[in-house]
Amino acid sequence: IIKGGKTMKKKVALLFTFLLVVGSVLAGCGGSDSSGNGEKTKDGKVVLKVTVWNYDTTPEFKALFEAYEKENPNVKIEPIDIEAAQYDQKLTTMLASGDNTDVLTMKNVIGYSNYANRGQLKDMSEYVKSLDGDKYNGTLDFLKVEDGKTYALPYRMDFWVLYYNKDLFDQAGIPYPENITWEEYRELAKKLTSGSGNNIVYGAYNHTWRSVTQAIAAAQETGDPEAIISGNYDFMKHQYETYLGMQEDKSVLDFGTAKSTNTTYASQFETGKAAMLPMGTWYIAAIINSKNQGNTNVNWGIAPLPQIEKGSEIKSFGSPTAFAVNKNAAHSKEAEKFVKWASGEEGAKVIAGVGVVPAYRTDEINNTYFNLEGVPTDELSKSAFNPDFINIEMPADKNSATIDLILTEEHELIMLGENSIDDGIKKMEKRVKEEVK
């Protein structure tokens, strides 16, 4: 009896272990199909949860969700709104805990790379192979990670242009900045600077982000999407010389003041404190919204970014914003359907209609964009919308986050004058070599 009892206990223990293993496997497959286990409304609609940031002030989210619900009456989209500054930190915590939110908005490529390399996103590579890459302006390649796979689909693609205040140019009797070089940009900024003290109007405003210097240099000096993570940064020297020279000219608000006072680029441009502003295309929708609310009367246009040489190809940099399906999504099939729709032609028409630049672009969609009230329609603005080349701001690499931090820290020391350009570049290279594994 004692022997038989031990055998029975062993069988029960084995059975229990087997059930645990099966349960674990099934849990790991969470959301791999739409079996109805996810949340639904009282009238049976699928509740599709999507992470977003600053929902009330980011127009494309509401526009996309309402349009999709109209076409898919069986779906109710529930935005999971997260403060922009805390977005990646919060999303990282959510995914680490096994959260089953269906669709995850990839705010930047650094965060996307981290989630993809941790195996937290659904593989979309086979679907990407069926897409016309030319209509996505290179953004599909930007989202390939080191294993060659793609785990998100881009729905918008912002790149950098030069904003300018038409009235300030007109008052100075200076032609608008059409296809200028960086040397000409610096000279124009000097000519456009006027006043003093609290009444000074600067010829330009160069924001404090490292990309304003480093990513522009990577695009125009190298054209290499991996340059920014290469560990060799001599290509940045010319751009630092230009911006530090402008500080010496006193034609821009100096970096230290901008940093210590948390100056926003919008406050500089929309109040007429700066005549020119290199910035991303996302700002177009923000200016239109600000004008519609009566917060600014700036008479503005956009031109291509200044280039290294006169008459050269127009080279810019940018980064896609994308939707991904959570590997543990409660409604995986419905989530995938939404992501495909939002990143394709139908989604592109919707967001172009609210002044946001879609990743998927055709002549028809460009026309939708420029027919939007408030978007400048002059030929210079239209030419700025079609650069010859767009480099990725930061590639999808497992070391991107670490390198970004190093480059940011050393960038600030250079711009504050605490390190020379040469010493700062050497420190970037040394730290990337020593700290990146």
Side-chain angles (χ1 to χ4, degrees):
I1 294 174
I2 293 175
K3 185 176 180 181
K6 288 182 178 179
T7 301
M8 182 60 69
K9 287 180 180 178
K10 286 181 180 179
K11 289 181 178 179
V12 171
L14 287 170
L15 178 61
F16 184 70
T17 300
F18 172 77
L19 291 174
L20 280 176
V21 170
V22 171
S24 176
V25 170
L26 290 175
C29 295
S32 62
D33 59 44
S34 297
S35 56
N37 294 327
E39 186 178 341
K40 291 188 177 182
T41 63
K42 291 181 180 179
D43 54 357
K45 292 183 179 180
V46 170
V47 176
L48 201 63
K49 296 183 179 181
V50 184
T51 62
V52 300
W53 60 88
N54 296 0
Y55 182 75
D56 291 334
T57 57
T58 310
E60 71 265 26
F61 290 137
K62 185 176 182 181
L64 283 171
F65 297 169
E66 289 182 350
Y68 188 76
E69 287 175 345
K70 186 175 180 179
E71 288 190 23
N72 298 270
N74 64 315
V75 173
K76 174 65 178 174
I77 297 180
E78 178 183 321
I80 307 300
D81 198 7
I82 302 170
E83 183 185 353
Q86 304 297 321
Y87 185 79
D88 283 313
Q89 180 181 349
K90 175 68 173 177
L91 197 58
T92 297
T93 302
M94 288 170 60
L95 291 175
S97 68
D99 186 273
N100 68 350
T101 297
D102 301 292
V103 177
L104 310 169
T105 310
M106 301 290 101
K107 192 169 184 284
N108 56 60
V109 175
I110 293 175
Y112 160 70
S113 178
N114 288 335
Y115 311 135
N117 283 307
R118 291 177 192 140
Q120 295 169 320
L121 309 177
K122 186 172 183 178
D123 184 359
M124 303 293 289
S125 303
E126 287 303 311
Y127 175 70
V128 168
K129 291 177 183 177
S130 69
L131 300 176
D132 182 352
D134 290 340
K135 291 180 179 177
Y136 285 86
N137 295 282
T139 52
L140 298 177
D141 290 334
F142 291 163
L143 293 172
K144 285 183 180 178
V145 296
E146 290 171 87
D147 62 5
K149 295 182 179 180
T150 305
Y151 297 87
L153 299 178
Y155 70 90
R156 65 180 287 179
M157 174 60 188
D158 289 296
F159 54 91
W160 281 55
V161 297
L162 180 66
Y163 295 80
Y164 65 97
N165 184 315
K166 292 183 176 181
D167 290 341
L168 292 178
F169 272 81
D170 291 342
Q171 290 167 18
I174 297 174
Y176 299 151
E178 183 174 356
N179 297 327
I180 60 174
T181 65
W182 287 108
E183 281 74 16
E184 290 172 328
Y185 172 71
R186 179 178 175 181
E187 289 302 312
L188 279 174
K190 284 195 287 188
K191 293 177 182 178
L192 289 159
T193 299
S194 63
S196 60
N198 293 331
N199 295 319
I200 191 168
V201 173
Y202 291 108
Y205 176 69
N206 301 324
H207 198 42
T208 57
W209 299 329
R210 68 158 191 83
S211 292
V212 180
T213 308
Q214 298 173 359
I216 287 175
Q220 296 185 355
E221 297 278 358
T222 75
D224 180 1
E226 306 247 320
I228 210 74
I229 61 171
S230 68
N232 299 308
Y233 300 121
D234 280 343
F235 65 83
M236 298 177 181
K237 188 172 181 177
H238 177 261
Q239 205 66 27
Y240 275 116
E241 288 173 343
T242 299
Y243 287 167
L244 289 174
M246 294 177 78
Q247 288 192 167
E248 292 172 6
D249 299 338
K250 300 188 184 306
S251 62
V252 293
L253 182 67
D254 69 275
F255 183 93
T257 300
K259 191 74 176 175
S260 63
T261 58
N262 294 317
T263 299
T264 66
Y265 57 84
S267 67
Q268 286 291 294
F269 190 71
E270 291 177 29
T271 60
K273 293 180 180 177
M276 296 183 289
L277 171 72
M279 191 50 59
T281 50
W282 63 80
Y283 186 39
I284 294 173
I287 295 180
I288 293 171
N289 185 55
S290 189
K291 292 197 77 167
N292 289 341
Q293 292 181 354
N295 295 328
T296 183
N297 62 355
V298 63
N299 181 18
W300 62 287
I302 58 173
L305 269 183
Q307 301 294 306
I308 298 170
E309 297 179 357
K310 196 77 173 175
S312 61
E313 282 189 327
I314 302 302
K315 297 179 181 180
S316 183
F317 78 94
S319 189
T321 309
F323 286 124
V325 178
N326 184 352
K327 201 166 186 179
N328 290 322
H331 295 293
S332 187
K333 286 183 179 179
E334 286 88 349
E336 186 173 335
K337 182 181 177 182
F338 167 77
V339 169
K340 291 176 179 178
W341 176 89
S343 62
E345 184 175 8
E346 294 306 312
K349 290 178 182 177
V350 171
I351 66 170
V354 295
V356 173
V357 182
Y360 183 98
R361 297 248 308 269
T362 61
D363 289 342
E364 180 186 357
I365 290 167
N366 288 343
N367 288 335
T368 298
Y369 186 88
F370 280 100
N371 285 331
L372 183 69
E373 185 177 357
V375 173
T377 58
D378 58 277
E379 289 306 312
L380 182 55
S381 296
K382 288 184 176 181
S383 71
F385 205 65
N386 289 290
D388 297 303
F389 172 79
I390 301 174
N391 205 39
I392 182 68
E393 180 176 1
M394 175 64 79
D397 184 271
K398 64 181 180 181
N399 295 314
S400 290
T402 302
I403 294 173
D404 179 65
L405 179 61
I406 293 170
L407 296 184
T408 296
E409 291 173 349
E410 298 303 329
H411 164 73
E412 293 183 358
L413 293 174
I414 293 174
M415 293 303 299
L416 289 168
E418 296 185 24
N419 280 334
S420 68
I421 297 173
D422 288 336
D423 286 346
I425 288 174
K426 286 178 182 176
K427 288 186 177 181
M428 291 179 201
E429 294 175 342
K430 184 174 185 292
R431 288 187 61 189
V432 168
K433 182 178 180 179
E434 293 177 351
E435 297 176 31
V436 175
K437 305 300 182 185

